[in-house]
């Protein structure tokens, strides 16, 4: 949306409410109050959320809002909001919209001038990052990688020179395949941390270079169970004569195939911004 829509003063409020990712003590007092006061709770799985509501003695009605009906059924929630009812949006665990449904409803509500209020709380990726011991000043959340190996590897190829800490969610039955591919593309020495079953009884945080982490996961079937967050240290540019990325080498090789060595190095420097002398030395090495 490029324009700000004026708030609908007679409408209700859509609360985006975070719920625990495991330990029920992580729910906030504010979340409990909001869930008890709204007219309706839009839940990813009403059966799952009914147990949570029962635990806290909350009797607010539940209605399904999941990935299969969110686009089509969003209108009924908007109608309730526009008539003045407050609604809370929750997912099965953690913060809605973070690899969970809710984006379309929030977008529709904002477009209709409905007030949208976050009620923050548990989020697996933030919990994992806070305890992983990897750089946290800049990071990138990639959610779930493609389930099929070819798509997963293609996506990882695009990320292998990403300098920020990388955070992935992964299904337990694919965690070993995922770490295999990470090792193959990022290298066995890249630091990584597997955070599994966060806040739950069998919570595990294991930090190892990817090669060792793969062996550790392969050697213990228990590490292939439960909810997984995988963090990988960002790429660090090599120093000195090694400070040339794979993409720069590719450009240089293409030019060497068409131009004299000196001209190829000079043009590659103009294209990539890498020092001409460094590329000239690299070109000499690749021609010998």
């Amino acid at each position: 949306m490029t324009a700000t829509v004026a708030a609908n003063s007679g409408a209700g409020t859509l609360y985006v409410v975070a719920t625990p990712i495991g330990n029920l003590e992580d729910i906030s007092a504010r979340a409990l109050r909001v869930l008890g006061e709204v007219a309706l709770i839009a839940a990813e799985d009403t059966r799952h959320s009914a147990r949570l509501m029962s635990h806290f003695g909350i009797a607010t009605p539940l209605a399904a809002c999941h990935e299969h009906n969110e686009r089509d059924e969003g209108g009924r929630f908007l109608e309730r909001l526009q008539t003045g009812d407050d609604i809370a949006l929750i997912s099965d665990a953690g913060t809605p919209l973070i690899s969970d449904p809710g984006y379309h409803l929030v977008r529709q509500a904002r477009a209709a001038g409905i007030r949208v209020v976050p009620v923050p709380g548990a989020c697996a990726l933030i919990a994992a990052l806070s305890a992983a011991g990897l750089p946290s000043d800049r990071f990138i959340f990639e959610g779930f990688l493609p389930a099929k190996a070819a798509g997963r590897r293609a996506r990882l190829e695009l990320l292998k020179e990403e300098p920020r800490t990388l955070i992935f969610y992964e299904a337990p039955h694919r965690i070993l395949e995922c770490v295999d591919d990470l090792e193959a593309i990022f290298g066995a020495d890249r630091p990584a941390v597997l955070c599994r079953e966060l806040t739950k009884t069998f919570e595990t945080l294991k930090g190892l270079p990817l090669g060792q982490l793969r062996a550790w996961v392969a050697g213990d079937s228990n590490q292939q169970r439960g909810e997984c967050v995988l963090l990988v240290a960002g790429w660090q540019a090599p120093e000195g004569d090694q400070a040339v990325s794979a993409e720069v080498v590719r450009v240089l090789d293409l030019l060497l195939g068409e131009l004299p060595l000196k001209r190829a190095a000079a043009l590659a420097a103009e294209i990539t911004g890498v020092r001409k002398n460094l590329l000239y030395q690299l070109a000499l090495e690749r021609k010998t």
Side-chain angles (χ1 to χ4, degrees):
M1 293 177 288
T2 57
T4 301
V5 180
N8 185 341
S9 59
T13 298
L14 176 63
Y15 293 94
V16 183
V17 182
T19 56
I21 58 177
N23 192 320
L24 296 183
E25 294 179 4
D26 290 338
I27 198 164
S28 71
R30 183 184 177 202
L32 291 174
R33 177 182 60 77
V34 168
L35 292 172
E37 291 178 352
V38 295
L40 182 69
I41 298 172
E44 182 180 0
D45 184 332
T46 55
R47 293 168 299 178
H48 176 92
S49 296
R51 295 192 291 272
L52 180 68
M53 297 306 116
S54 176
H55 177 85
F56 289 109
I58 295 171
T60 306
L62 295 162
C65 180
H66 48 71
E67 62 179 339
H68 301 297
N69 77 346
E70 185 184 357
R71 289 176 186 268
D72 297 333
E73 298 293 326
R76 64 180 175 137
F77 296 118
L78 287 180
E79 289 177 6
R80 293 286 297 269
L81 288 161
Q82 288 170 332
T83 60
D85 284 342
D86 292 335
I87 293 178
L89 171 67
I90 64 173
S91 61
D92 286 351
T95 301
L97 281 74
I98 309 301
S99 285
D100 277 330
Y103 163 74
H104 297 289
L105 177 57
V106 168
R107 185 176 176 84
Q108 290 168 6
R110 289 181 60 82
I114 304 295
R115 182 172 176 239
V116 180
V117 174
V119 181
C123 179
L125 79 95
I126 299 301
L129 181 65
S130 72
L134 294 177
S136 57
D137 55 335
R138 298 176 67 238
F139 60 92
I140 179 171
F141 175 57
E142 282 291 314
F144 286 92
L145 288 164
K148 294 185 177 180
R152 185 167 57 245
R153 288 194 170 221
R155 183 62 189 160
L156 291 176
E157 284 286 353
L158 296 175
L159 295 169
K160 69 179 180 181
E161 292 185 0
E162 166 59 58
R164 294 168 289 182
T165 296
L166 293 149
I167 307 176
F168 306 96
Y169 285 168
E170 190 52 274
H173 64 277
R174 286 197 300 268
I175 188 64
L176 183 55
E177 295 175 10
C178 179
V179 178
D180 274 340
D181 288 342
L182 282 164
E183 180 192 5
I185 293 169
F186 290 2
D189 295 331
R190 183 84 70 96
V193 181
L194 174 61
C195 301
R196 191 180 63 84
E197 291 289 86
L198 288 170
T199 81
K200 301 175 186 176
T201 302
F202 299 105
E203 177 181 87
T204 303
L205 287 85
K206 188 70 171 181
L208 290 168
L210 280 168
Q212 295 178 40
L213 186 65
R214 181 201 56 76
W216 183 74
V217 173
D220 184 355
S221 61
N222 287 325
Q223 306 312 321
Q224 301 170 45
R225 299 175 182 173
E227 303 294 328
C228 300
V229 184
L230 190 58
L231 302 94
V232 182
W235 176 78
Q236 291 187 339
E239 297 180 357
D241 291 344
Q242 301 302 314
V244 178
S245 71
E247 178 60 19
V248 172
V249 173
R250 188 183 73 85
V251 170
L252 180 60
D253 283 343
L254 288 172
L255 293 172
L256 285 171
E258 302 293 332
L259 300 170
L261 187 148
K262 189 174 181 179
R263 178 57 182 156
L267 189 55
E270 290 182 25
I271 294 170
T272 65
V274 176
R275 289 185 297 110
K276 182 170 65 174
N277 289 346
L278 179 58
L279 290 177
Y280 181 76
Q281 290 299 319
L282 181 60
L284 284 173
E285 294 171 6
R286 299 185 76 77
K287 277 291 190 179
T288 58

